[in-house]
Amino acid sequence: MLTDMQFDAETEALKLRSLLFGSLRLLMDAAETVNDAKEQINLLDATINMLSIAHVHAGELADLVREERNAA
């Protein structure tokens, strides 16, 4: 059975995975819209936002791992 901290860490890792996959898809879509500069800008802006959120979740995950290590 997972501890609350382990569950929280797993949840943060899954959020990161989803955000990074979404960012990858947005970048791939932007690469395919070479004839539509406005759409590329919108896709790149969305990617930047997703990566910013992923950065926050990565920090939260690192904090959880650090807490788990210190508790051990």
Side-chain angles (χ1 to χ4, degrees), residues 11-66:
T11 300
E12 288 302 319
L14 290 171
K15 287 179 190 177
L16 275 172
R17 182 180 183 192
S18 177
L19 287 165
L20 292 172
F21 179 76
S23 297
L24 176 62
R25 287 294 313 149
L26 287 170
L27 287 173
M28 291 169 65
D29 290 346
E32 292 174 1
T33 59
V34 293
N35 294 327
D36 189 349
K38 185 175 180 179
E39 182 64 16
Q40 276 188 322
I41 290 169
N42 290 338
L43 289 168
L44 292 173
D45 186 52
T47 302
I48 289 167
N49 288 332
M50 285 186 105
L51 290 173
S52 295
I53 294 167
H55 180 266
V56 170
H57 286 293
E60 291 172 0
L61 179 57
D63 290 344
L64 287 168
V65 169
R66 195 175 304 114

